[in-house]
Amino acid sequence: YQRDERVVLRTADRITVTTTVLGERLVERYGVDESVVRHIPNGVDTDQYRPTEADPDPTIVYTGNVGHAQDLDACVRAMASVETAGVTLKIVGDGDITDRLKRLAAEEGLEDRVEFTGLVPRETIPDVLSDAMIGVAPLKRNSTLEYAVPTKAYEYLSCELPVVATGVGEIESLIAESEGGLHVENDAERLAEAFHSLLTDGALRESLGTNGREHMIEHYDRGVVARRLSVVLDEVLDR
């Protein structure tokens, strides 16, 4: 199987990858000519995912798969140390670790601060994000996830929602390049500090939110991504 992969990749005119780390791994693992690799990221519909005039609630939101790649345990534990009154961590979605997180919230006495909505219709997500103050993208600190950028991070940024992210690799680079959020260590206390900082500083939230949306419009809007793919296809046709 790997031999077939190697043949296909090493004879391709162009290879598109969704993250730069993924491209680097293909070059290293299969000896791919790096000159044929093109970064075409996942995109976001910036018209659908856009800020509204609604006043957000003191809510930290997570949307998506509630699975083992996400460090949601640390997010739940962080809520015990967030000093802001009335704040809620809203976990929107479902997955393999949902029941475990519910037990953790109960054991920590956080049932009034952590809300599990279960699955919701996809078209309602922009409204869910508009009602929140912070979006959290908590990847585990794991070298096997260095290539990953959760789509939710693009959606948060497009909605001018400041992002608190954990993990290494591409997610760290996205936060740095967009200047749309805070990247912290995978630690409940560090997460709590980041949450509190953003919840209590409206000017900081506004600045990060503006930065994030501008970055999405310029680099990750689906129209922009489609044009980048078109350029790659033109290169192949010309060849």
Side-chain angles (χ1 to χ4, degrees):
Y1 178 72
Q2 289 188 2
R3 183 175 62 185
D4 293 340
E5 281 186 334
R6 186 183 302 273
V7 171
V8 170
L9 290 169
R10 294 182 70 170
T11 57
D13 293 317
R14 294 291 184 275
I15 301 169
T16 61
V17 293
T18 54
T19 65
T20 56
V21 169
L22 188 55
E24 291 166 359
R25 288 187 175 181
L26 291 180
V27 171
E28 180 181 351
R29 181 173 182 179
Y30 295 103
V32 169
D33 180 356
E34 63 182 0
S35 70
V36 306
V37 178
R38 298 291 184 274
H39 177 211
I40 307 294
N42 291 318
V44 60
D45 185 341
T46 58
D47 288 328
Q48 180 183 13
Y49 288 87
R50 59 186 305 121
T52 68
E53 298 300 322
D55 291 330
D57 297 322
T59 299
I60 303 158
V61 68
Y62 171 87
T63 61
N65 180 47
V66 184
H68 295 280
Q70 288 79 38
D71 198 355
L72 286 164
D73 298 69
C75 293
V76 170
R77 289 191 174 94
M79 296 307 294
S81 300
V82 177
E83 299 174 7
T84 312
V87 65
T88 301
L89 170 64
K90 182 181 290 188
I91 298 177
V92 181
D94 203 357
D96 294 340
I97 67 170
T98 299
D99 289 341
R100 190 185 78 206
L101 292 174
K102 288 180 177 179
R103 290 195 297 271
L104 176 61
E107 291 166 2
E108 299 288 333
L110 297 169
E111 291 168 298
D112 61 336
R113 305 199 85 180
V114 182
E115 176 185 352
F116 296 88
T117 71
L119 296 174
V120 301
R122 180 66 182 167
E123 61 270 18
T124 66
I125 295 298
D127 289 334
V128 170
L129 300 185
S130 294
D131 289 337
M133 287 188 178
I134 301 169
V136 62
L139 283 178
K140 288 185 175 178
R141 191 174 184 85
N142 189 319
S143 61
T144 63
L145 297 173
E146 287 181 344
Y147 74 92
V149 177
T151 302
K152 64 180 67 63
Y154 299 139
E155 294 171 352
Y156 298 160
L157 292 167
S158 188
C159 286
E160 292 191 356
L161 196 60
V163 179
V164 173
T166 64
V168 294
E170 290 286 341
I171 185 63
E172 193 171 3
S173 297
L174 177 65
I175 298 303
E177 292 167 3
S178 68
E179 298 182 336
L182 304 176
H183 179 271
V184 299
E185 295 295 324
N186 293 70
D187 175 82
E189 290 302 319
R190 302 290 81 76
L191 281 163
E193 290 171 3
F195 293 158
H196 180 72
S197 176
L198 289 170
L199 289 166
T200 57
D201 192 338
L204 178 59
R205 291 199 309 272
E206 182 178 356
S207 175
L208 295 177
T210 298
N211 292 342
R213 178 161 175 81
E214 289 178 352
H215 192 72
M216 290 300 104
I217 290 172
E218 183 175 357
H219 298 286
Y220 292 93
D221 178 79
R222 285 184 177 173
V224 173
V225 173
R227 286 191 290 274
R228 289 175 64 173
L229 178 58
S230 178
V231 169
V232 175
L233 295 176
D234 287 343
E235 290 175 354
V236 174
L237 290 174
D238 288 344
R239 181 173 180 178

